[in-house]
Amino acid sequence: MSLINLHSTADLHSNAIIIDGLIIAKWSRALFEDMRKGGLTAANCTVSVWEDFQGTIDNIVMVNQLMRDSADLVRQVHTTEDIRQAKREGRTGIILGFQNAHAFEDQLGYVEIFKRLGVGIVQMCYNTQNLIGTGCYERDGGLSGFGREVIAEMNRVGIMCDLSHVGAVTSEEVILESKKPVCYSHCLPAGLKQHPRNKTDEQLKFIADRGGFVGVTMFAPFLKKGIDSTVDDYCEAIGYIMNIVGEDAIGIGTDFTQGHGPEFFDMLTHDKGYARSLTEFGKIVNPLGIRTVGEFPNLTEALLKNGFSEPQVRKIMGENWLRVLGDVWGTEHSQTQESGAGLVSEQVVAASDAELAFQG
Amino acid sequence: MSLINLHSTADLHSNAIIIDGLIIAKWSRALFEDMRKGGLTAANCTVSVWEDFQGTIDNIVMVNQLMRDSADLVRQVHTTEDIRQAKREGRTGIILGFQNAHAFEDQLGYVEIFKRLGVGIVQMCYNTQNLIGTGCYERDGGLSGFGREVIAEMNRVGIMCDLSHVGAVTSEEVILESKKPVCYSHCLPAGLKQHPRNKTDEQLKFIADRGGFVGVTMFAPFLKKGIDSTVDDYCEAIGYIMNIVGEDAIGIGTDFTQGHGPEFFDMLTHDKGYARSLTEFGKIVNPLGIRTVGEFPNLTEALLKNGFSEPQVRKIMGENWLRVLGDVWGTEHSQTQESGAGLVSEQVVAASDAELAFQG
């Protein structure tokens, strides 16, 4: 690659909208600094997995303080205009996201409460059964009646439904039920490796055919070569999914977990955070070349090197997420609650993960 | 009074900004209809007295639904611009308010959470001691250390401190501690009738001299003539307080309770909502002429009849509240959290009451 090409690659990354549809890294100023190093425009950052309503509020309180203390690096985003504004300011826009709808408890009204606090994407289930449906690690009886009401409320207020860790039956029923686009914010194709968390070609086609969206993760145990994978293997998976869903319905959802220790992964991989063990991933190393958030520019470079066109790279790296989030969140800026429209505001990207992802 | 005068009085009421600094009536469409009948531009409506954090969230959820169902009559307001917008739309702006800071529990971060949900005024204590200070019905040891931190956080995010039911020592210390204007949202002068809830001339002067604000209530047991009072006696009390605090630091805070039954007043008048009984008011009847929210225009008329000038009436009926709320809430419209400014948004009026106020 010539020096000129290297320069243009760096330019592309620095002037493009770069959105990560799922990060579950440890919240800290160090993370925000790495986001800036990686040139992230916005990211969907997990604030709830097993926590109940008030436990999730407590997480948001903690995160609000961290964002305030690092206002030179990050800003909260409620709308896609906020994301564009973050880009202009050279800050990273933070979208709050849940990996589990458990925090809604049994109250439809809590959906709107969280929307006002900046939650833009919520995964319907996390690995196991909740009041809405069932996750991908146990028998899945499908979407509940209450789940249908939750989806209607999420549609109304503008929170995107995420299905990454949701079971196949529940996922299909959510896709059919939702009146707004839904997503797998962070998944890999079963066509490259069989795994309960990976999605079959049929599942990928099903969501895309109904206006849905797919964010591609790079979680090593779900990649063909496991912990020996590189950023090129990540590009292969992106290409595989793009061939099925098309170049407008695909984005990035890394599932970065940097900064967390073993206790965090123990919590994630046990049902309810403490009950039976659900998964065992062994040693986890992110693909070579994209082991940390700060290495994000390498992904842009690798996509170009692997034959993706510049317009495709721009779409994959963020423009597609920006468009679909706008579709779900609406274009109003005010959070003031109004009649039918509810509090129409927007917020950025995707969902979260229960997988181990120790940084090698 | 000539027909021409009657017409101009009605015109004055209908084109003025009318703000009620405290309503604790039963939330319902019937109340919203009466607010429209009374020509209310905005009102501070109580959503928390003894409830804890999540109990208060549940009240807000209920209120959100009610407001959505009556979006033809009301709108939530976060800023003074929202109040002006409500006026233009012919709807009543709803400010959420607490009569007790108990809902903040022991978490400073909950202050910002509630601000985002539309809470614009919070009374520091309700009748008895809490984590912040002490109410007006027991020995008052003053403002706690945590209370000082709560005030700083309320100042930062823009929630007005209300002291109506707060003890004398705590009130004085809050007035000195707060960097933004504080209020007695609904009080009467001890100079007209001695009562633990009424404020002495010295107290009224003390708050006004430090940039604070006084909303005048009409709760019959605190008025000189009790349940035999009329709207003219209410005007007398307003005049008494105006003579002390001046015509720019005074507004209305009725303490309307219409729609509630005896159980609600039992809850209010017992510590924590169920413990020892704190007060006994006997039969309660609002002053003749202003027994319901819908009779609000009579107050404008009575003030004019009692010799207040038109500019004074406009200030007392709403303009003063609008100004002081803007001073506390700031002028930003966005609820997006930003660096030092926090989520600078605005919201309307005042506090709430533990008094009985059965509608005759």
Side-chain angles (χ1 to χ4, degrees):
Chain A
M1 183 177 276
S2 74
L3 264 178
I4 287 166
N5 280 344
L6 275 172
H7 284 150
S8 68
T9 297
D11 284 352
L12 171 57
H13 188 83
S14 69
N15 69 34
I17 296 278
I18 309 291
I19 298 181
D20 191 340
L22 195 105
I23 286 182
I24 188 172
K26 187 166 173 60
W27 290 86
S28 69
R29 182 166 175 91
L31 173 65
F32 300 150
E33 286 169 343
D34 216 31
M35 286 175 168
R36 291 317 307 148
K37 181 181 170 200
L40 266 190
T41 309
N44 168 34
C45 300
T46 300
V47 290
S48 186
V49 180
W50 299 116
E51 290 87 346
D52 64 4
F53 176 80
Q54 198 162 350
T56 300
I57 293 284
D58 291 344
N59 287 346
I60 292 174
V61 162
M62 179 267 293
V63 159
N64 283 344
Q65 181 69 53
L66 280 172
M67 290 192 290
R68 197 158 59 239
D69 292 343
S70 292
D72 53 323
L73 303 173
V74 298
R75 61 170 291 155
Q76 190 168 14
V77 294
H78 295 261
T79 65
T80 50
E81 177 51 32
D82 286 343
I83 296 177
R84 293 181 196 281
Q85 183 63 24
K87 179 74 190 175
R88 288 188 288 269
E89 295 167 349
R91 296 196 282 173
T92 297
I94 304 294
I95 306 151
L96 306 185
F98 294 175
Q99 297 245 17
N100 192 345
H102 179 65
F104 292 155
E105 297 187 356
D106 58 359
Q107 296 300 316
L108 292 169
Y110 289 178
V111 176
E112 182 172 350
I113 297 293
F114 282 121
K115 172 69 180 182
R116 295 225 198 167
L117 299 178
V119 175
I121 301 180
V122 168
Q123 189 163 261
M124 309 310 287
C125 312
Y126 187 70
N127 296 346
T128 58
Q129 183 162 327
N130 63 17
L131 298 182
I132 289 168
T134 299
C136 61
Y137 286 121
E138 68 182 333
R139 187 178 55 185
D140 176 5
L143 183 63
S144 72
F146 180 69
R148 291 180 197 278
E149 290 190 274
V150 170
I151 291 168
E153 183 66 358
M154 288 171 70
N155 285 172
R156 184 183 74 79
V157 306
I159 294 180
M160 193 170 200
C161 299
D162 184 7
L163 302 168
S164 307
H165 286 253
V166 177
V169 181
T170 300
S171 291
E172 183 174 316
E173 294 181 359
V174 171
I175 292 165
L176 294 173
E177 182 75 16
S178 178
K179 293 184 166 48
K180 291 192 176 173
V182 304
C183 68
Y184 295 116
S185 72
H186 56 304
C187 74
L188 277 165
L192 289 178
K193 175 167 181 168
Q194 277 297 326
H195 191 284
R197 268 282 278 111
N198 289 354
K199 309 304 174 190
T200 66
D201 293 359
E202 294 69 32
Q203 288 176 314
L204 294 168
K205 190 165 176 355
F206 190 85
I207 193 170
D209 285 350
R210 282 149 191 87
F213 194 87
V214 180
V216 187
T217 185
M218 56 176 196
F219 185 60
F222 305 165
L223 283 167
K224 205 169 49 183
K225 295 187 196 156
I227 61 174
D228 297 322
S229 302
T230 70
V231 67
D232 292 320
D233 297 298
Y234 190 14
C235 291
E236 179 195 12
I238 292 169
Y240 185 99
I241 289 179
M242 190 175 78
N243 283 338
I244 296 173
V245 305
E247 66 182 49
D248 295 316
I250 186 169
I252 299 299
T254 59
D255 208 6
F256 272 119
T257 60
Q258 67 197 59
H260 286 300
E263 319 73 32
F264 184 75
F265 298 102
D266 273 356
M267 180 274 286
L268 287 182
T269 54
H270 285 76
D271 191 30
K272 318 311 174 208
Y274 71 89
R276 76 189 190 283
S277 174
L278 296 167
T279 47
E280 269 302 343
F281 293 115
K283 190 181 174 193
I284 304 297
V285 187
N286 283 337
L288 185 68
I290 179 99
R291 291 207 165 134
T292 59
V293 176
E295 292 182 293
F296 236 101
N298 292 344
L299 179 57
T300 296
E301 184 184 333
L303 285 169
L304 289 168
K305 199 185 71 177
N306 279 273
F308 293 80
S309 71
E310 182 182 318
Q312 285 173 335
V313 172
R314 286 183 183 275
K315 287 180 179 181
I316 293 166
M317 292 302 292
E319 282 180 4
N320 283 341
W321 265 126
L322 192 67
R323 189 202 66 246
V324 76
L325 289 171
D327 291 345
V328 175
W329 295 346
T331 51
E332 295 287 331
H333 291 196
S334 166
Q335 289 195 301
T336 302
Q337 172 197 325
E338 282 307 309
S339 58
L343 45 118
V344 189
S345 87
E346 309 171 64
Q347 191 115 344
V348 191
V349 190
S352 76
D353 246 49
E355 298 89 2
L356 301 182
F358 291 110
Q359 305 304 319
Chain B
M1 183 177 279
S2 74
L3 262 179
I4 287 167
N5 281 343
L6 275 171
H7 283 151
S8 68
T9 297
D11 284 351
L12 171 56
H13 188 83
S14 69
N15 69 34
I17 297 278
I18 309 291
I19 297 181
D20 191 341
L22 195 105
I23 288 183
I24 189 171
K26 187 169 173 58
W27 290 86
S28 68
R29 182 168 175 90
L31 173 65
F32 300 150
E33 286 168 342
D34 216 32
M35 286 175 168
R36 293 315 308 147
K37 182 181 170 200
L40 265 191
T41 308
N44 169 35
C45 300
T46 300
V47 290
S48 187
V49 180
W50 299 116
E51 291 87 348
D52 65 4
F53 176 79
Q54 197 162 350
T56 300
I57 293 285
D58 290 345
N59 287 346
I60 292 174
V61 162
M62 178 267 292
V63 158
N64 282 345
Q65 182 70 52
L66 281 171
M67 289 193 289
R68 198 158 58 239
D69 293 344
S70 292
D72 54 323
L73 303 173
V74 297
R75 62 169 291 153
Q76 191 168 14
V77 294
H78 295 261
T79 64
T80 51
E81 177 51 32
D82 286 344
I83 296 177
R84 293 182 196 281
Q85 183 62 24
K87 180 74 189 174
R88 288 189 288 267
E89 295 167 349
R91 297 196 282 175
T92 297
I94 304 294
I95 306 152
L96 305 185
F98 295 175
Q99 297 245 16
N100 193 344
H102 179 65
F104 292 155
E105 298 187 355
D106 58 0
Q107 296 301 315
L108 293 168
Y110 290 178
V111 175
E112 181 171 350
I113 297 293
F114 281 121
K115 172 69 179 182
R116 295 224 197 166
L117 299 178
V119 175
I121 300 180
V122 167
Q123 188 162 262
M124 307 311 286
C125 313
Y126 187 70
N127 295 346
T128 57
Q129 183 162 326
N130 63 17
L131 298 183
I132 290 168
T134 300
C136 61
Y137 285 122
E138 66 183 335
R139 186 179 53 186
D140 176 5
L143 182 63
S144 72
F146 180 70
R148 292 180 197 276
E149 291 190 274
V150 170
I151 291 169
E153 183 67 357
M154 289 171 69
N155 284 173
R156 185 183 73 80
V157 306
I159 295 180
M160 192 170 199
C161 300
D162 183 8
L163 301 168
S164 307
H165 286 252
V166 177
V169 181
T170 300
S171 291
E172 183 173 316
E173 294 182 356
V174 171
I175 292 165
L176 294 174
E177 181 75 17
S178 178
K179 293 184 166 46
K180 290 191 174 173
V182 304
C183 68
Y184 296 116
S185 72
H186 56 303
C187 74
L188 278 165
L192 290 177
K193 177 167 179 167
Q194 277 297 326
H195 191 283
R197 267 282 278 112
N198 290 355
K199 309 303 174 192
T200 65
D201 293 359
E202 294 69 30
Q203 288 175 312
L204 294 168
K205 189 166 174 357
F206 190 85
I207 193 170
D209 285 349
R210 283 149 191 88
F213 194 88
V214 180
V216 187
T217 185
M218 57 177 197
F219 186 62
F222 306 164
L223 283 168
K224 202 170 51 184
K225 295 187 194 156
I227 61 174
D228 297 322
S229 302
T230 71
V231 67
D232 293 319
D233 298 296
Y234 190 13
C235 292
E236 179 195 13
I238 292 169
Y240 186 98
I241 289 180
M242 190 175 78
N243 283 338
I244 296 172
V245 304
E247 67 183 46
D248 295 315
I250 186 170
I252 299 298
T254 60
D255 208 6
F256 272 119
T257 59
Q258 67 196 59
H260 286 299
E263 319 72 31
F264 183 77
F265 298 102
D266 273 354
M267 180 275 286
L268 287 182
T269 55
H270 286 76
D271 190 31
K272 319 309 176 210
Y274 71 90
R276 75 189 191 283
S277 175
L278 297 167
T279 48
E280 261 317 332
F281 294 114
K283 189 181 174 192
I284 306 298
V285 188
N286 283 337
L288 185 67
I290 179 99
R291 292 206 163 135
T292 59
V293 176
E295 291 182 294
F296 236 101
N298 292 344
L299 180 56
T300 296
E301 184 184 333
L303 285 169
L304 289 168
K305 200 186 70 179
N306 279 273
F308 293 80
S309 70
E310 183 182 317
Q312 285 174 335
V313 172
R314 286 184 183 274
K315 287 179 180 182
I316 293 166
M317 293 303 290
E319 281 179 7
N320 284 342
W321 265 126
L322 193 67
R323 189 203 66 246
V324 75
L325 289 171
D327 291 343
V328 175
W329 295 345
T331 52
E332 295 287 331
H333 290 197
S334 166
Q335 288 196 301
T336 301
Q337 173 197 323
E338 283 307 310
S339 60
L343 46 119
V344 188
S345 87
E346 308 172 65
Q347 191 116 343
V348 190
V349 189
S352 75
D353 248 48
E355 298 89 2
L356 301 180
F358 291 111
Q359 304 305 319

